[in-house]
Amino acid sequence: MTVLEILKAPDERLKQFSEEVEIFDDELQGFIDDLEETRQAGPGAVGIAAPQVGRLQRVIIVDVSNTKKPVPNHGYMVLINPEITEWNGFEMGREGCLSIPDYTGNVIRATDIKLKAQDRFGNPLEYEMEGFEARAIQHELDHLDGMLFIDRVVSRRTDLFQRKVYKKGASAKK
Amino acid sequence: MNNWKMLTLVGKDRPGIVARVTDALYQNGWNLGEASMLRLGGNFTIMLMVSGAGEVEPTLQPVAQELGLRLHVDPIEGDLHSHVVPNIQVRVVGADRAGIVAQVTGQLAEAGLNILELESDVAGSAETPIYIMGIHGYADVPVEDLQQAVSDLVDQGIDVTVSGIETLIG
Ligand SMILES: [Zn+2]
């Protein structure tokens, strides 16, 4: 397995729309293992998306089972062609990104989501998620649509005054 | 490049100040670092890090004069790329009263909180002002210790909420 190079903003590839995965072959399995190794090599990343290593395909990995304060979670997930089918509620939270070192800011995300995806072999998956895990999914899904969290930062300071500016990631699709 | 100066500009707010100031800096070869601009009580205030060769006053003093701003320059130690990610958030909301900031921040400092960002404002009306403060900070101690530290103030009727921030990196 290999730790892949993480692209840093303003790399143009981070702004591209990623394509659906159609072939679930050995090459894909190898890539997923490399992607996970890359996530673990990063500083405390709970998720990573394939375009962050320059592969413009709809593959993300999320694992929020290791937070300081435990949060509801589904453990380690490889999600292929993920799609959010329902959003509910809004919540502000602080985010950073492997592709934008040394910057964090407050972003509004949906609190509860329903998610459809495929596993690494193409089998269908369905999840209901909340809070921090739902936030991680939305952050990674944004990467697949060429969107970075800095495009959504509403405040670097207090989260007292919440503005509802949430847009679906799909709006970045050309 | 790490020869930074901190500029402070204060004066009556009017449109176009940021554009004029940054244009003058740019035209004369100064680089911008981190900056914070705020309107406080109707005043324009900006603090910004700049780096470049020589003295910055000859570049900015004429602009400041023209815009009615007071300029202050300090050579500083420090550099970019040294952010600390906050892990604690504090909110204070309540009737305006003297000493509230000192009391809250004093207790929190003693308990181990290092304040990274503080914003406070007075909302409501002149008759019934509401004091609002938001703090982002970093502490090595558990959030419960900080909550304990302000519990006396909570008992005295000050609405202080201390919570942890889990920053998502992805
Ligand atoms: Zn990211």
Side-chain angles (χ1 to χ4, degrees), chain A residues 43-48 52 67-69 71 94-99 102-104 106 132 135-137 139-140 143 156-161, chain B residues 34-38 80-87 89 91-93 117-119 132-136 143-144 165-170:
Chain A
V46 296
I48 192 166
Q52 286 181 283
T67 51
K68 212 167 29 170
K69 284 261 155 75
V71 294
R94 202 159 184 118
E95 297 183 19
C97 182
L98 292 171
S99 297
D102 199 39
Y103 186 89
T104 61
N106 287 315
F132 197 72
R135 172 173 298 275
I137 294 285
H139 179 114
E140 301 312 332
H143 280 300
R156 293 210 62 196
R157 298 168 185 274
T158 145
D159 68 352
L160 271 173
F161 307 102
Chain B
E34 295 168 22
S36 167
M37 193 217 110
L38 282 173
L80 301 177
H81 315 296
S82 53
H83 292 122
V84 175
V85 177
N87 64 353
Q89 170 175 290
R91 278 179 262 186
V92 181
V93 180
E117 296 170 350
L118 182 151
E119 218 175 32
I132 302 171
M133 176 163 71
I135 293 173
H136 275 180
V143 62
E144 289 78 13
I165 306 172
E166 185 92 50
T167 299
L168 182 149
I169 308 291

Short mmCIF file of all heavy atoms in Angstrom, two decimals, chain A residues 43-48 52 67-69 71 94-99 102-104 106 132 135-137 139-140 143 156-161, chain B residues 34-38 80-87 89 91-93 117-119 132-136 143-144 165-170:
data_model
loop_
_atom_site.label_atom_id
_atom_site.label_comp_id
_atom_site.label_asym_id
_atom_site.label_seq_id
_atom_site.Cartn_x
_atom_site.Cartn_y
_atom_site.Cartn_z
N PRO A 43 -3.15 14.40 9.36
CA PRO A 43 -3.32 14.78 10.75
C PRO A 43 -4.78 14.67 11.20
O PRO A 43 -5.56 15.58 11.02
CB PRO A 43 -2.84 16.24 10.78
CG PRO A 43 -3.05 16.73 9.38
CD PRO A 43 -3.02 15.53 8.47
N GLY A 44 -5.13 13.53 11.76
CA GLY A 44 -6.44 13.37 12.38
C GLY A 44 -7.63 13.51 11.46
O GLY A 44 -8.66 14.03 11.86
N ALA A 45 -7.50 13.07 10.22
CA ALA A 45 -8.59 13.23 9.27
C ALA A 45 -9.67 12.16 9.50
O ALA A 45 -9.35 10.98 9.63
CB ALA A 45 -8.08 13.15 7.84
N VAL A 46 -10.93 12.58 9.54
CA VAL A 46 -12.03 11.63 9.70
C VAL A 46 -12.59 11.21 8.35
O VAL A 46 -13.47 10.35 8.28
CB VAL A 46 -13.17 12.20 10.57
CG1 VAL A 46 -12.67 12.46 12.00
CG2 VAL A 46 -13.75 13.47 9.96
N GLY A 47 -12.10 11.84 7.29
CA GLY A 47 -12.59 11.47 5.97
C GLY A 47 -11.61 11.88 4.89
O GLY A 47 -10.71 12.69 5.12
N ILE A 48 -11.82 11.28 3.70
CA ILE A 48 -11.00 11.65 2.55
C ILE A 48 -11.81 11.32 1.30
O ILE A 48 -12.64 10.40 1.31
CB ILE A 48 -9.63 10.92 2.58
CG1 ILE A 48 -8.66 11.51 1.54
CG2 ILE A 48 -9.82 9.41 2.36
CD1 ILE A 48 -7.22 11.07 1.75
N GLN A 52 -9.14 14.29 -3.79
CA GLN A 52 -8.07 14.91 -3.01
C GLN A 52 -6.71 14.32 -3.31
O GLN A 52 -5.68 14.90 -2.96
CB GLN A 52 -8.35 14.77 -1.50
CG GLN A 52 -9.46 15.70 -1.01
CD GLN A 52 -9.71 15.56 0.48
OE1 GLN A 52 -10.34 14.61 0.91
NE2 GLN A 52 -9.18 16.49 1.26
N THR A 67 -13.37 10.06 17.62
CA THR A 67 -13.36 11.45 18.10
C THR A 67 -13.09 11.48 19.60
O THR A 67 -13.26 10.48 20.30
CB THR A 67 -14.70 12.13 17.82
OG1 THR A 67 -15.75 11.31 18.32
CG2 THR A 67 -14.92 12.33 16.33
N LYS A 68 -12.66 12.68 20.05
CA LYS A 68 -12.33 12.86 21.47
C LYS A 68 -13.54 12.53 22.34
O LYS A 68 -13.46 11.79 23.29
CB LYS A 68 -11.86 14.30 21.70
CG LYS A 68 -10.85 14.46 22.77
CD LYS A 68 -10.22 15.86 22.71
CE LYS A 68 -11.19 16.84 22.16
NZ LYS A 68 -11.03 18.20 22.14
N LYS A 69 -14.67 13.17 22.00
CA LYS A 69 -15.95 12.82 22.64
C LYS A 69 -16.68 11.90 21.67
O LYS A 69 -16.90 12.30 20.51
CB LYS A 69 -16.80 14.08 22.88
CG LYS A 69 -16.34 14.93 24.04
CD LYS A 69 -17.17 14.67 25.29
CE LYS A 69 -16.44 14.98 26.57
NZ LYS A 69 -16.31 16.40 26.85
N VAL A 71 -19.17 10.13 19.27
CA VAL A 71 -20.37 10.61 18.57
C VAL A 71 -21.04 9.41 17.90
O VAL A 71 -20.38 8.41 17.63
CB VAL A 71 -20.02 11.68 17.50
CG1 VAL A 71 -19.46 12.94 18.14
CG2 VAL A 71 -19.02 11.13 16.49
N ARG A 94 -17.16 23.55 13.13
CA ARG A 94 -15.87 23.97 12.62
C ARG A 94 -15.26 22.88 11.75
O ARG A 94 -15.27 21.71 12.12
CB ARG A 94 -14.94 24.31 13.78
CG ARG A 94 -13.82 25.23 13.37
CD ARG A 94 -13.23 25.96 14.57
NE ARG A 94 -12.23 26.91 14.14
CZ ARG A 94 -12.32 28.22 14.32
NH1 ARG A 94 -13.36 28.74 14.91
NH2 ARG A 94 -11.36 29.02 13.92
N GLU A 95 -14.72 23.28 10.61
CA GLU A 95 -14.11 22.31 9.71
C GLU A 95 -12.73 22.78 9.24
O GLU A 95 -12.44 23.97 9.20
CB GLU A 95 -15.01 22.10 8.47
CG GLU A 95 -16.36 21.51 8.81
CD GLU A 95 -17.23 21.22 7.59
OE1 GLU A 95 -16.69 21.14 6.46
OE2 GLU A 95 -18.45 21.09 7.79
N GLY A 96 -11.94 21.80 8.89
CA GLY A 96 -10.67 22.03 8.23
C GLY A 96 -10.57 20.98 7.13
O GLY A 96 -11.47 20.16 6.98
N CYS A 97 -9.49 20.99 6.37
CA CYS A 97 -9.40 20.08 5.23
C CYS A 97 -7.94 19.72 4.96
O CYS A 97 -7.06 20.57 5.06
CB CYS A 97 -9.99 20.78 4.00
SG CYS A 97 -10.01 19.76 2.52
N LEU A 98 -7.72 18.45 4.61
CA LEU A 98 -6.36 18.01 4.28
C LEU A 98 -5.81 18.81 3.10
O LEU A 98 -4.59 18.99 2.97
CB LEU A 98 -6.36 16.53 3.91
CG LEU A 98 -6.67 15.53 5.05
CD1 LEU A 98 -6.86 14.14 4.46
CD2 LEU A 98 -5.58 15.55 6.09
N SER A 99 -6.69 19.30 2.25
CA SER A 99 -6.26 20.02 1.06
C SER A 99 -6.05 21.52 1.31
O SER A 99 -5.65 22.24 0.40
CB SER A 99 -7.28 19.83 -0.07
OG SER A 99 -7.35 18.46 -0.43
N ASP A 102 -3.70 24.46 7.69
CA ASP A 102 -3.60 25.66 8.53
C ASP A 102 -4.75 26.64 8.34
O ASP A 102 -4.57 27.85 8.35
CB ASP A 102 -2.26 26.39 8.27
CG ASP A 102 -1.90 27.33 9.42
OD1 ASP A 102 -2.14 26.96 10.58
OD2 ASP A 102 -1.42 28.45 9.15
N TYR A 103 -5.95 26.13 8.15
CA TYR A 103 -7.12 27.01 8.09
C TYR A 103 -8.34 26.24 8.57
O TYR A 103 -8.56 25.11 8.14
CB TYR A 103 -7.36 27.51 6.66
CG TYR A 103 -8.47 28.54 6.57
CD1 TYR A 103 -8.19 29.90 6.72
CD2 TYR A 103 -9.79 28.14 6.39
CE1 TYR A 103 -9.20 30.84 6.67
CE2 TYR A 103 -10.80 29.09 6.34
CZ TYR A 103 -10.50 30.43 6.48
OH TYR A 103 -11.50 31.36 6.44
N THR A 104 -9.08 26.83 9.48
CA THR A 104 -10.36 26.23 9.88
C THR A 104 -11.41 27.32 9.91
O THR A 104 -11.09 28.50 10.04
CB THR A 104 -10.29 25.58 11.28
OG1 THR A 104 -9.98 26.57 12.26
CG2 THR A 104 -9.25 24.48 11.34
N ASN A 106 -16.06 28.06 10.35
CA ASN A 106 -17.40 27.53 10.64
C ASN A 106 -18.24 27.38 9.38
O ASN A 106 -18.30 28.28 8.56
CB ASN A 106 -18.12 28.44 11.63
CG ASN A 106 -17.56 28.32 13.03
OD1 ASN A 106 -17.33 27.21 13.50
ND2 ASN A 106 -17.31 29.43 13.67
N PHE A 132 -21.99 14.85 13.68
CA PHE A 132 -20.62 14.93 13.20
C PHE A 132 -20.39 14.00 12.00
O PHE A 132 -19.70 14.35 11.05
CB PHE A 132 -19.68 14.57 14.35
CG PHE A 132 -18.25 14.99 14.14
CD1 PHE A 132 -17.89 16.32 14.20
CD2 PHE A 132 -17.27 14.04 13.90
CE1 PHE A 132 -16.57 16.71 14.01
CE2 PHE A 132 -15.94 14.42 13.71
CZ PHE A 132 -15.60 15.75 13.77
N ARG A 135 -21.95 15.49 9.01
CA ARG A 135 -21.11 16.60 8.57
C ARG A 135 -19.93 16.09 7.73
O ARG A 135 -19.61 16.63 6.68
CB ARG A 135 -20.60 17.38 9.80
CG ARG A 135 -19.54 18.44 9.51
CD ARG A 135 -19.24 19.25 10.75
NE ARG A 135 -20.44 19.97 11.19
CZ ARG A 135 -20.82 21.15 10.71
NH1 ARG A 135 -20.08 21.78 9.83
NH2 ARG A 135 -21.93 21.72 11.13
N ALA A 136 -19.30 15.02 8.21
CA ALA A 136 -18.15 14.46 7.50
C ALA A 136 -18.57 14.01 6.09
O ALA A 136 -17.86 14.25 5.11
CB ALA A 136 -17.55 13.29 8.29
N ILE A 137 -19.72 13.36 6.00
CA ILE A 137 -20.21 12.91 4.70
C ILE A 137 -20.41 14.11 3.77
O ILE A 137 -20.01 14.09 2.59
CB ILE A 137 -21.55 12.16 4.87
CG1 ILE A 137 -21.34 10.86 5.65
CG2 ILE A 137 -22.22 11.92 3.51
CD1 ILE A 137 -20.70 9.74 4.87
N HIS A 139 -19.01 17.05 3.89
CA HIS A 139 -17.71 17.62 3.53
C HIS A 139 -17.07 16.82 2.39
O HIS A 139 -16.59 17.38 1.40
CB HIS A 139 -16.80 17.63 4.77
CG HIS A 139 -15.43 18.18 4.53
ND1 HIS A 139 -14.98 19.35 5.10
CD2 HIS A 139 -14.40 17.73 3.77
CE1 HIS A 139 -13.74 19.59 4.69
NE2 HIS A 139 -13.35 18.62 3.89
N GLU A 140 -17.10 15.48 2.52
CA GLU A 140 -16.46 14.63 1.49
C GLU A 140 -17.25 14.65 0.18
O GLU A 140 -16.67 14.68 -0.91
CB GLU A 140 -16.30 13.20 1.99
CG GLU A 140 -15.46 13.04 3.27
CD GLU A 140 -14.15 13.80 3.23
OE1 GLU A 140 -13.59 14.01 2.14
OE2 GLU A 140 -13.68 14.20 4.31
N HIS A 143 -16.35 17.43 -2.00
CA HIS A 143 -15.14 17.22 -2.81
C HIS A 143 -15.49 16.57 -4.15
O HIS A 143 -14.90 16.88 -5.17
CB HIS A 143 -14.14 16.33 -2.06
CG HIS A 143 -13.33 17.06 -1.03
ND1 HIS A 143 -12.50 18.11 -1.35
CD2 HIS A 143 -13.20 16.89 0.31
CE1 HIS A 143 -11.91 18.55 -0.25
NE2 HIS A 143 -12.31 17.83 0.78
N ARG A 156 -15.44 32.83 10.85
CA ARG A 156 -14.28 32.22 11.48
C ARG A 156 -14.39 32.39 12.98
O ARG A 156 -13.56 31.92 13.73
CB ARG A 156 -13.00 32.89 10.98
CG ARG A 156 -12.73 32.62 9.52
CD ARG A 156 -11.27 32.61 9.25
NE ARG A 156 -10.59 31.55 10.00
CZ ARG A 156 -9.29 31.50 10.18
NH1 ARG A 156 -8.53 32.44 9.68
NH2 ARG A 156 -8.75 30.53 10.86
N ARG A 157 -15.37 33.15 13.42
CA ARG A 157 -15.44 33.47 14.84
C ARG A 157 -16.61 32.78 15.51
O ARG A 157 -16.84 31.59 15.30
CB ARG A 157 -15.53 34.99 15.00
CG ARG A 157 -14.32 35.67 14.44
CD ARG A 157 -14.56 37.18 14.35
NE ARG A 157 -13.44 37.83 13.71
CZ ARG A 157 -12.35 38.23 14.32
NH1 ARG A 157 -12.23 38.08 15.61
NH2 ARG A 157 -11.38 38.80 13.67
N THR A 158 -17.36 33.52 16.26
CA THR A 158 -18.42 32.90 17.04
C THR A 158 -19.51 32.34 16.14
O THR A 158 -19.73 32.80 15.02
CB THR A 158 -19.02 33.90 18.04
OG1 THR A 158 -20.41 33.65 18.17
CG2 THR A 158 -18.82 35.31 17.58
N ASP A 159 -20.23 31.33 16.61
CA ASP A 159 -21.31 30.77 15.82
C ASP A 159 -22.67 31.24 16.34
O ASP A 159 -23.67 30.59 16.19
CB ASP A 159 -21.25 29.25 15.83
CG ASP A 159 -21.58 28.68 17.19
OD1 ASP A 159 -21.69 29.47 18.15
OD2 ASP A 159 -21.71 27.45 17.31
N LEU A 160 -22.67 32.41 16.99
CA LEU A 160 -23.91 32.89 17.63
C LEU A 160 -25.00 33.20 16.62
O LEU A 160 -26.16 32.92 16.84
CB LEU A 160 -23.63 34.16 18.44
CG LEU A 160 -23.22 33.92 19.87
CD1 LEU A 160 -22.81 35.23 20.51
CD2 LEU A 160 -24.38 33.31 20.66
N PHE A 161 -24.59 33.81 15.53
CA PHE A 161 -25.60 34.28 14.60
C PHE A 161 -25.62 33.37 13.39
O PHE A 161 -24.82 33.52 12.48
CB PHE A 161 -25.33 35.73 14.21
CG PHE A 161 -25.17 36.59 15.42
CD1 PHE A 161 -23.92 36.98 15.84
CD2 PHE A 161 -26.27 36.95 16.15
CE1 PHE A 161 -23.77 37.75 16.98
CE2 PHE A 161 -26.14 37.72 17.30
CZ PHE A 161 -24.88 38.12 17.71
N GLU B 34 -1.97 38.04 7.70
CA GLU B 34 -3.29 37.91 8.29
C GLU B 34 -3.84 39.30 8.61
O GLU B 34 -3.08 40.21 8.93
CB GLU B 34 -3.22 37.07 9.57
CG GLU B 34 -2.80 35.63 9.28
CD GLU B 34 -2.43 34.86 10.54
OE1 GLU B 34 -2.86 35.25 11.63
OE2 GLU B 34 -1.71 33.86 10.41
N ALA B 35 -5.14 39.45 8.50
CA ALA B 35 -5.76 40.75 8.79
C ALA B 35 -7.11 40.56 9.45
O ALA B 35 -7.77 39.55 9.27
CB ALA B 35 -5.93 41.55 7.50
N SER B 36 -7.49 41.53 10.22
CA SER B 36 -8.80 41.50 10.85
C SER B 36 -9.38 42.90 10.79
O SER B 36 -8.74 43.86 11.23
CB SER B 36 -8.66 41.04 12.31
OG SER B 36 -9.85 41.30 13.01
N MET B 37 -10.54 43.04 10.19
CA MET B 37 -11.19 44.34 10.12
C MET B 37 -12.53 44.28 10.82
O MET B 37 -13.28 43.32 10.65
CB MET B 37 -11.41 44.72 8.66
CG MET B 37 -11.78 46.17 8.49
SD MET B 37 -13.00 46.43 7.18
CE MET B 37 -14.41 46.90 8.17
N LEU B 38 -12.80 45.26 11.62
CA LEU B 38 -14.06 45.28 12.36
C LEU B 38 -14.58 46.69 12.43
O LEU B 38 -13.81 47.65 12.43
CB LEU B 38 -13.83 44.81 13.81
CG LEU B 38 -13.70 43.32 14.07
CD1 LEU B 38 -13.30 43.11 15.52
CD2 LEU B 38 -15.01 42.61 13.78
N LEU B 80 3.38 33.61 9.67
CA LEU B 80 2.15 32.95 9.22
C LEU B 80 2.23 31.46 9.53
O LEU B 80 3.24 30.97 10.00
CB LEU B 80 1.99 33.15 7.71
CG LEU B 80 1.92 34.60 7.23
CD1 LEU B 80 1.84 34.64 5.70
CD2 LEU B 80 0.73 35.32 7.84
N HIS B 81 1.18 30.76 9.22
CA HIS B 81 1.13 29.30 9.38
C HIS B 81 1.41 28.86 10.81
O HIS B 81 2.09 27.88 11.05
CB HIS B 81 2.11 28.63 8.41
CG HIS B 81 2.03 29.21 7.03
ND1 HIS B 81 0.89 29.11 6.25
CD2 HIS B 81 2.90 29.96 6.30
CE1 HIS B 81 1.09 29.75 5.11
NE2 HIS B 81 2.29 30.28 5.12
N SER B 82 0.90 29.64 11.76
CA SER B 82 1.07 29.23 13.15
C SER B 82 -0.27 29.29 13.88
O SER B 82 -0.34 29.66 15.04
CB SER B 82 2.10 30.13 13.84
OG SER B 82 1.76 31.49 13.69
N HIS B 83 -1.35 28.95 13.17
CA HIS B 83 -2.67 28.94 13.79
C HIS B 83 -2.78 27.82 14.82
O HIS B 83 -2.25 26.74 14.64
CB HIS B 83 -3.76 28.72 12.74
CG HIS B 83 -3.91 29.87 11.80
ND1 HIS B 83 -3.78 29.76 10.44
CD2 HIS B 83 -4.20 31.17 12.04
CE1 HIS B 83 -3.96 30.93 9.88
NE2 HIS B 83 -4.22 31.81 10.82
N VAL B 84 -3.49 28.12 15.88
CA VAL B 84 -3.86 27.10 16.85
C VAL B 84 -5.34 26.82 16.63
O VAL B 84 -6.14 27.74 16.53
CB VAL B 84 -3.63 27.60 18.29
CG1 VAL B 84 -4.13 26.58 19.30
CG2 VAL B 84 -2.15 27.91 18.51
N VAL B 85 -5.71 25.57 16.50
CA VAL B 85 -7.11 25.22 16.27
C VAL B 85 -7.85 25.22 17.61
O VAL B 85 -7.46 24.51 18.53
CB VAL B 85 -7.23 23.82 15.62
CG1 VAL B 85 -8.70 23.44 15.45
CG2 VAL B 85 -6.53 23.82 14.27
N PRO B 86 -8.90 26.04 17.72
CA PRO B 86 -9.62 26.10 19.00
C PRO B 86 -10.34 24.81 19.30
O PRO B 86 -10.83 24.13 18.40
CB PRO B 86 -10.62 27.25 18.80
CG PRO B 86 -10.78 27.37 17.32
CD PRO B 86 -9.48 26.93 16.71
N ASN B 87 -10.39 24.44 20.57
CA ASN B 87 -11.15 23.24 20.96
C ASN B 87 -12.21 23.56 22.01
O ASN B 87 -12.88 22.67 22.50
CB ASN B 87 -10.20 22.13 21.45
CG ASN B 87 -9.45 22.51 22.71
OD1 ASN B 87 -9.52 23.65 23.17
ND2 ASN B 87 -8.72 21.57 23.27
N GLN B 89 -15.35 26.52 23.10
CA GLN B 89 -16.18 27.65 22.72
C GLN B 89 -16.96 28.12 23.94
O GLN B 89 -17.47 27.30 24.70
CB GLN B 89 -17.12 27.17 21.64
CG GLN B 89 -18.21 28.11 21.27
CD GLN B 89 -18.98 27.52 20.09
OE1 GLN B 89 -18.49 27.45 18.99
NE2 GLN B 89 -20.17 27.05 20.35
N ARG B 91 -19.89 30.97 25.33
CA ARG B 91 -20.88 31.98 25.00
C ARG B 91 -21.41 32.61 26.27
O ARG B 91 -21.70 31.91 27.23
CB ARG B 91 -22.04 31.37 24.23
CG ARG B 91 -21.73 31.23 22.77
CD ARG B 91 -22.87 30.59 22.05
NE ARG B 91 -22.59 29.16 21.89
CZ ARG B 91 -23.39 28.36 21.19
NH1 ARG B 91 -24.48 28.83 20.65
NH2 ARG B 91 -23.07 27.10 21.04
N VAL B 92 -21.49 33.91 26.26
CA VAL B 92 -22.05 34.62 27.40
C VAL B 92 -23.16 35.50 26.88
O VAL B 92 -22.96 36.28 25.95
CB VAL B 92 -20.97 35.51 28.09
CG1 VAL B 92 -21.56 36.23 29.29
CG2 VAL B 92 -19.76 34.67 28.48
N VAL B 93 -24.32 35.35 27.44
CA VAL B 93 -25.45 36.19 27.04
C VAL B 93 -26.16 36.64 28.30
O VAL B 93 -26.39 35.83 29.20
CB VAL B 93 -26.46 35.40 26.17
CG1 VAL B 93 -27.63 36.30 25.77
CG2 VAL B 93 -25.79 34.84 24.93
N GLU B 117 -9.77 33.91 20.12
CA GLU B 117 -10.64 34.92 19.50
C GLU B 117 -11.71 35.31 20.50
O GLU B 117 -12.29 34.45 21.14
CB GLU B 117 -11.33 34.35 18.25
CG GLU B 117 -10.38 33.98 17.14
CD GLU B 117 -11.07 33.20 16.02
OE1 GLU B 117 -12.24 32.79 16.21
OE2 GLU B 117 -10.44 33.00 14.99
N LEU B 118 -11.95 36.58 20.60
CA LEU B 118 -13.04 37.05 21.47
C LEU B 118 -13.81 38.12 20.74
O LEU B 118 -13.22 39.02 20.12
CB LEU B 118 -12.48 37.60 22.78
CG LEU B 118 -13.50 38.10 23.82
CD1 LEU B 118 -12.95 37.95 25.23
CD2 LEU B 118 -13.94 39.54 23.58
N GLU B 119 -15.11 38.01 20.80
CA GLU B 119 -15.95 38.99 20.16
C GLU B 119 -17.03 39.34 21.16
O GLU B 119 -17.66 38.44 21.71
CB GLU B 119 -16.58 38.37 18.92
CG GLU B 119 -16.68 39.30 17.76
CD GLU B 119 -17.22 38.57 16.54
OE1 GLU B 119 -18.01 37.64 16.71
OE2 GLU B 119 -16.82 38.92 15.44
N ILE B 132 -23.53 40.28 24.81
CA ILE B 132 -23.27 39.01 24.14
C ILE B 132 -21.77 38.87 23.90
O ILE B 132 -21.14 39.80 23.38
CB ILE B 132 -23.98 38.94 22.77
CG1 ILE B 132 -25.49 39.14 22.95
CG2 ILE B 132 -23.70 37.62 22.06
CD1 ILE B 132 -26.24 39.31 21.64
N MET B 133 -21.21 37.74 24.29
CA MET B 133 -19.78 37.54 24.06
C MET B 133 -19.55 36.12 23.53
O MET B 133 -20.18 35.18 24.00
CB MET B 133 -19.00 37.75 25.36
CG MET B 133 -17.51 37.46 25.23
SD MET B 133 -16.53 38.16 26.58
CE MET B 133 -17.02 37.10 27.94
N GLY B 134 -18.69 36.01 22.57
CA GLY B 134 -18.30 34.71 22.05
C GLY B 134 -16.79 34.57 22.13
O GLY B 134 -16.06 35.48 21.77
N ILE B 135 -16.34 33.43 22.63
CA ILE B 135 -14.90 33.19 22.75
C ILE B 135 -14.57 31.86 22.10
O ILE B 135 -15.30 30.88 22.29
CB ILE B 135 -14.47 33.12 24.25
CG1 ILE B 135 -14.64 34.49 24.92
CG2 ILE B 135 -13.03 32.63 24.38
CD1 ILE B 135 -14.40 34.46 26.42
N HIS B 136 -13.51 31.84 21.33
CA HIS B 136 -12.94 30.57 20.89
C HIS B 136 -11.55 30.48 21.51
O HIS B 136 -10.80 31.43 21.48
CB HIS B 136 -12.83 30.51 19.37
CG HIS B 136 -14.10 30.06 18.72
ND1 HIS B 136 -14.24 29.93 17.36
CD2 HIS B 136 -15.28 29.67 19.25
CE1 HIS B 136 -15.45 29.49 17.08
NE2 HIS B 136 -16.11 29.34 18.20
N VAL B 143 -13.20 19.90 29.22
CA VAL B 143 -14.20 20.97 29.16
C VAL B 143 -14.96 21.07 30.48
O VAL B 143 -15.36 22.15 30.91
CB VAL B 143 -15.15 20.76 27.96
CG1 VAL B 143 -15.92 19.47 28.07
CG2 VAL B 143 -16.08 21.93 27.77
N GLU B 144 -15.09 19.93 31.19
CA GLU B 144 -15.79 19.93 32.47
C GLU B 144 -15.10 20.84 33.50
O GLU B 144 -15.76 21.48 34.32
CB GLU B 144 -15.89 18.50 33.05
CG GLU B 144 -16.84 17.57 32.29
CD GLU B 144 -16.24 17.02 30.99
OE1 GLU B 144 -15.00 17.14 30.79
OE2 GLU B 144 -17.01 16.47 30.16
N ILE B 165 -15.29 22.04 21.07
CA ILE B 165 -15.41 22.09 19.62
C ILE B 165 -14.63 20.93 19.04
O ILE B 165 -13.44 20.79 19.33
CB ILE B 165 -14.79 23.38 19.02
CG1 ILE B 165 -15.34 24.64 19.67
CG2 ILE B 165 -14.99 23.43 17.50
CD1 ILE B 165 -14.59 25.90 19.22
N GLU B 166 -15.28 20.11 18.28
CA GLU B 166 -14.57 19.05 17.57
C GLU B 166 -14.41 19.52 16.14
O GLU B 166 -15.39 19.63 15.41
CB GLU B 166 -15.38 17.75 17.65
CG GLU B 166 -14.68 16.55 17.07
CD GLU B 166 -13.87 15.76 18.09
OE1 GLU B 166 -14.41 15.42 19.17
OE2 GLU B 166 -12.71 15.49 17.79
N THR B 167 -13.21 19.88 15.75
CA THR B 167 -13.00 20.35 14.37
C THR B 167 -12.88 19.17 13.43
O THR B 167 -12.09 18.26 13.68
CB THR B 167 -11.74 21.23 14.29
OG1 THR B 167 -11.91 22.36 15.14
CG2 THR B 167 -11.49 21.71 12.87
N LEU B 168 -13.69 19.20 12.41
CA LEU B 168 -13.70 18.10 11.44
C LEU B 168 -12.62 18.34 10.39
O LEU B 168 -12.60 19.37 9.75
CB LEU B 168 -15.07 18.04 10.77
CG LEU B 168 -15.32 16.92 9.76
CD1 LEU B 168 -16.78 16.55 9.81
CD2 LEU B 168 -14.91 17.30 8.36
N ILE B 169 -11.71 17.39 10.25
CA ILE B 169 -10.71 17.47 9.18
C ILE B 169 -11.01 16.38 8.17
O ILE B 169 -11.12 15.22 8.54
CB ILE B 169 -9.27 17.29 9.72
CG1 ILE B 169 -8.98 18.23 10.90
CG2 ILE B 169 -8.24 17.45 8.61
CD1 ILE B 169 -8.89 19.69 10.53
N GLY B 170 -11.19 16.79 6.92
CA GLY B 170 -11.56 15.77 5.94
C GLY B 170 -11.18 16.14 4.53
O GLY B 170 -10.63 17.17 4.27
#
